[in-house]
Amino acid sequence: MITLLDPAGYLRTPWKNGGGTTVDIAFSDDVWRFGRTPIVQPGPFSDYAGYDRVQVLVSGSGLVLETPQGEIDVRQPFRPVRFAGETPIVSRLEAGPVEVVNLIGARAQVKVDILTLDEDRTLLLQPGTHIVYSPHGDATVAVQGNERKLASDYALRLDITVPTRLGGRVGCLLVGSITAA
């Protein structure tokens, strides 16, 4: 099943720590969330103990996540990073505000990942839920060879039960994958 996700239907959710707001593009109760978040000032991340997180910089540059074990480098756009939700993190902004796309999933129930889908690249998606998101500009994606156009900030939700081929045709897309743990 393929569902178009329109920005007019996205939810605005305050951060658990009160430091900002996330735009929830797609979610499943307390199991997983896929969203876009502006980070306009440095500060602590919310505690998501028991969850895994994947984050991708989509606007701005110079984001560094400081942890007790060292830095997580999120300076480069469209390069996903992964970390445990219970990791104590304080963000550092080296070049002003940024925006990130996050996928957060309950570790005991799902596995989460984000991949970048560029033009002329193909992914084989496994059964589960996948969010194909166009963070900047219009894009075109092929689902099993059938092309779909996505305007900027729109997404497709794919709920699939068999392996499915996804091809990038125009633009750069993010693909958030949620599969059974």
Side-chain angles (χ1 to χ4, degrees):
M1 184 162 88
I2 302 174
T3 306
L4 178 66
L5 303 176
D6 182 324
Y10 300 166
L11 299 176
R12 271 72 180 154
T13 305
W15 293 355
K16 285 174 64 174
N17 69 9
T21 302
T22 293
V23 177
D24 287 323
I25 296 166
F27 60 91
S28 177
D29 297 322
D30 291 331
V31 179
W32 61 267
R33 292 171 56 188
F34 181 90
R36 186 168 178 153
T37 302
I39 303 174
V40 298
Q41 61 187 15
F45 271 36
S46 297
D47 180 7
Y48 275 94
Y51 288 76
D52 287 324
R53 297 177 73 163
V54 183
Q55 189 170 83
V56 179
L57 182 69
V58 295
S59 180
S61 64
L63 176 62
V64 177
L65 308 181
E66 298 172 346
T67 78
Q69 292 77 35
E71 293 181 346
I72 299 172
D73 185 349
V74 198
R75 290 179 180 99
Q76 299 298 315
F78 294 95
R79 199 177 80 207
V81 298
R82 169 183 296 281
F83 50 93
E86 56 271 12
T87 303
I89 291 176
V90 175
S91 63
R92 184 174 80 225
L93 301 173
E94 297 177 336
V98 299
E99 278 190 275
V100 296
V101 168
N102 293 290
L103 179 55
I104 302 170
R107 185 176 305 126
Q109 298 175 41
V110 294
K111 289 188 249 180
V112 295
D113 200 8
I114 296 178
L115 297 173
T116 301
L117 182 62
D118 296 316
E119 295 176 11
D120 299 323
R121 183 167 178 217
T122 300
L123 301 174
L124 183 61
L125 304 178
Q126 296 306 309
T129 298
H130 305 273
I131 310 301
V132 182
Y133 177 61
S134 179
H136 297 295
D138 295 344
T140 304
V141 61
V143 182
Q144 291 292 93
N146 296 317
E147 288 193 359
R148 301 249 182 173
K149 295 186 184 305
L150 283 175
S152 185
D153 201 30
Y154 278 74
L156 292 177
R157 177 177 172 156
L158 310 175
D159 292 293
I160 57 174
T161 57
V162 296
T164 300
R165 194 162 308 282
L166 191 67
R169 296 292 187 263
V170 175
C172 183
L173 298 153
L174 294 176
V175 180
S177 294
I178 304 101
T179 57

